[in-house]
Amino acid sequence: MSAMNPHLKFQSQAVAKPYFVFALILFVGQVLFGLIMGLQYIVGDFLFPLIPFNVARMVHTNLLIVWILFGFMGAAYYLIPEEADRELHSPKLAIILFWVFAAAGVLTILGYLLVPYAALAQMTGNHLWPTMGREFLEQPTITKIGIVVVCLGFLYNVGMTLLKGRKTVISTVMMTGLIGLAVFFLFAFYNPENLARDKYYWWFVVHLWVEGVWELIMGAMLAFVLIKVTGVDREVIEKWLYVIIAMALITGIIGTGHHFFWIGAPEVWLWVGSIFSALEPLPFFAMVLFSLNMVNRRRRQHPNKAASIWAIGTTVTAFFGAGVWGFMHTLAPVNYYTHGSQLTAAHGHLAFYGAYAMIVMTMISYAMPRLRGLGEAPDARAQRIEIWGFWLMTVSMVAITLFLTAAGVIQIWLQRIPADGAALSFMNTTDQLMVFFWLRLIAGVFFLIGLVCYLFSFRQRGRVTADDTVTATAAI
């Protein structure tokens, strides 16, 4: 370990820092490739054939998944030792796994960009164990095996820390979510030839991650930060957490059925998927009430106001993105027309940003000042810049969602339910949506500016002072 950091309860928590830093680097890459795709919607041959649209999309979505996973791992390495009240089992193993995961991720992305996908599959021996070619799971089989190895080492490290230390509801929920993440990823290796069966089990990874076990991880991270910034009794927060995870698991697991509507599964899924998917907004609404209630009952004014804003913003944005926008097109009679439209993209963008990108940035906002040796909070200037970043990114993502929603409604009207019975073709419909794609691109540029502000807030030098805390409180 490096020099002693007096602001960390346990020195091994410092291993979280490279995970957080690399997560943010990948986040920048994800946004840049999102902007490339946004421009390709308007100027179809932009960067072609250097970066075709399908490659840009693959990189965009894979970077999203990988940077969120780096954020979760960093959060666990910071959170678990503090909850377990002991040092991390093996800081050295955590650093080794960081470099293995980082190298695997970078090499995979470079493979997407530099090698035709079919050639990449041949180079990596996909014919020996075919797992490639599926949305979000495009990684070569060898990369997937590397991810499993990293996950096993990671779970061993945090699991041994937890077993030898204090057990809390937060650490138990976090560990349950992390184990579920690893277990459900194993379905990525099952690739049956029957397309309907493939899609059936494919959702066991994609849906049961983002609408199942990831919600447990999110809930644990949110509860941890709220305890720290509000000073509310742990028992009160843990009771809320129990309720939230129960609703998340019940609605999320059975709600997988809304992905089985049109893939050849039995008709019963139309009812099961619709009913339980309609209940999926409940845990996110409970998170909103949870965060607001804890802030109202706060026993201390934490100097890191930015972290508090991120925590509340996470719950509100996740409720609208994952809850409201998900419910808008999750009932089978509605989904019959909306499935695969720009409305789906609207829901996906706001849900991923609100639920998972924001909770990782909440954790980074809270933990980074301590990891950098600054104390409980950065200075007033750094917090002002960070809050500017929060509002620019959040408002921009809301704008992107609204523009895609409008595009989706028009797309459905012209292509799926035309009044005169003659639907427009996909390309002719897309031409009618061009103004919304321009607006989305502009909003995406502002999102990037917000992310730059967030990153620029880390440029602070020195430690926060009492005067800085007072100034930050007054300014916010």
Side-chain angles (χ1 to χ4, degrees):
M1 300 295 293
S2 57
M4 292 285 289
N5 183 341
H7 300 288
L8 292 178
K9 186 174 182 181
F10 298 100
Q11 293 304 304
S12 57
Q13 290 176 291
V15 301
K17 186 176 179 180
Y19 283 86
F20 287 150
V21 171
F22 196 67
L24 292 175
I25 292 171
L26 296 180
F27 188 20
V28 173
Q30 185 215 345
V31 173
L32 290 175
F33 275 92
L35 291 174
I36 289 172
M37 292 166 59
L39 194 51
Q40 287 176 339
Y41 260 86
I42 302 163
V43 183
D45 59 355
F46 178 67
L47 291 183
F48 185 84
L50 183 63
I51 305 179
F53 180 84
N54 66 306
V55 173
R57 186 182 188 278
M58 194 159 52
V59 174
H60 179 66
T61 55
N62 277 245
L63 284 174
L64 165 66
I65 295 166
V66 174
W67 89 258
I68 293 292
L69 292 180
F70 267 99
F72 284 169
M73 293 171 76
Y77 283 133
Y78 187 91
L79 180 157
I80 294 292
E82 197 155 321
E83 288 293 300
D85 200 26
R86 59 168 289 116
E87 294 283 1
L88 184 67
H89 176 70
S90 176
K92 184 178 293 185
L93 176 60
I95 295 300
I96 292 172
L97 293 175
F98 166 79
W99 287 110
V100 171
F101 196 18
V106 170
L107 289 174
T108 300
I109 296 300
L110 290 175
Y112 294 157
L113 292 170
L114 302 177
V115 183
Y117 193 68
L120 181 64
Q122 186 175 10
M123 286 171 52
T124 55
N126 186 65
H127 60 284
L128 300 174
W129 192 349
T131 67
M132 296 176 68
R134 292 173 294 167
E135 188 180 11
F136 304 122
L137 301 179
E138 297 95 347
Q139 308 87 21
T141 304
I142 190 171
T143 301
K144 291 187 177 76
I145 294 172
I147 291 172
V148 170
V149 172
V150 169
C151 283
L152 289 175
F154 166 69
L155 290 175
Y156 167 77
N157 207 355
V158 295
M160 290 300 292
T161 307
L162 188 58
L163 286 173
K164 294 179 179 179
R166 180 183 64 171
K167 281 75 174 175
T168 67
V169 174
I170 291 174
S171 60
T172 303
V173 170
M174 183 77 169
M175 195 68 193
T176 304
L178 293 170
I179 292 171
L181 185 156
V183 169
F184 286 118
F185 181 71
L186 296 178
F187 285 97
F189 291 93
Y190 181 55
N191 187 14
E193 293 183 0
N194 182 289
L195 185 59
R197 181 171 294 176
D198 167 44
K199 279 295 183 183
Y200 188 90
Y201 289 103
W202 178 80
W203 285 113
F204 280 24
V205 182
V206 179
H207 172 94
L208 291 176
W209 264 15
V210 301
E211 297 178 66
V213 293
W214 281 25
E215 290 184 24
L216 272 63
I217 299 169
M218 174 192 178
M221 291 166 65
L222 179 65
F224 176 81
V225 173
L226 286 175
I227 285 177
K228 300 300 181 182
V229 300
T230 66
V232 174
D233 287 341
R234 177 178 290 271
E235 291 76 14
V236 175
I237 287 182
E238 288 178 344
K239 288 176 183 177
W240 275 90
L241 187 56
Y242 274 130
V243 173
I244 289 169
I245 64 168
M247 288 191 295
L249 286 177
I250 293 170
T251 61
I253 292 174
I254 307 178
T256 310
H258 68 241
H259 298 296
F260 298 160
F261 289 162
W262 324 118
I263 66 170
E267 191 174 346
V268 65
W269 286 112
L270 296 175
W271 285 97
V272 174
S274 296
I275 292 170
F276 282 90
S277 296
L279 299 175
E280 283 193 53
L282 292 180
F284 289 101
F285 183 63
M287 285 188 189
V288 176
L289 298 179
F290 168 50
S291 62
L292 294 177
N293 190 23
M294 294 309 105
V295 170
N296 287 335
R297 298 174 63 168
R298 69 194 314 157
R299 293 184 173 182
R300 64 172 301 201
Q301 290 294 329
H302 196 279
N304 194 340
K305 301 300 178 181
S308 301
I309 290 174
W310 276 109
I312 298 172
T314 295
T315 61
V316 174
T317 312
F319 169 65
F320 282 101
V324 176
W325 254 259
F327 176 75
M328 283 170 61
H329 63 131
T330 198
L331 301 178
V334 178
N335 191 259
Y336 179 79
Y337 296 101
T338 63
H339 187 73
S341 68
Q342 294 295 332
L343 192 59
T344 306
H347 159 58
H349 277 79
L350 192 60
F352 258 105
Y353 172 72
Y356 302 120
M358 290 183 76
I359 193 60
V360 170
M361 287 189 281
T362 300
M363 193 71 191
I364 293 174
S365 179
Y366 169 77
M368 266 303 208
R370 292 178 177 275
L371 291 169
R372 298 172 63 212
L374 301 177
E376 287 193 303
D379 62 24
R381 174 180 172 275
Q383 288 197 56
R384 280 197 300 271
I385 295 172
E386 182 179 348
I387 292 169
W388 265 100
F390 166 86
W391 284 113
L392 277 170
M393 282 191 282
T394 304
V395 172
S396 297
M397 186 55 70
V398 170
I400 289 171
T401 302
L402 293 175
F403 296 144
L404 287 174
T405 300
V409 170
I410 296 174
Q411 178 187 7
I412 294 160
W413 182 258
L414 296 177
Q415 191 180 353
R416 308 280 175 87
I417 47 174
D420 58 1
L424 289 182
S425 69
F426 174 80
M427 294 307 296
N428 286 334
T429 301
T430 302
D431 285 341
Q432 304 300 314
L433 309 178
M434 207 54 65
V435 64
F436 298 108
F437 295 149
W438 272 111
L439 292 171
R440 175 184 61 176
L441 180 62
I442 294 169
V445 171
F446 278 98
F447 186 93
L448 178 62
I449 295 171
L451 179 55
V452 170
C453 288
Y454 182 78
L455 298 175
F456 191 73
S457 70
F458 294 120
R459 281 181 55 85
Q460 173 190 330
R461 298 289 187 268
R463 292 177 171 78
V464 66
T465 65
D467 290 340
D468 287 329
T469 302
V470 173
T471 305
T473 304
I476 301 163

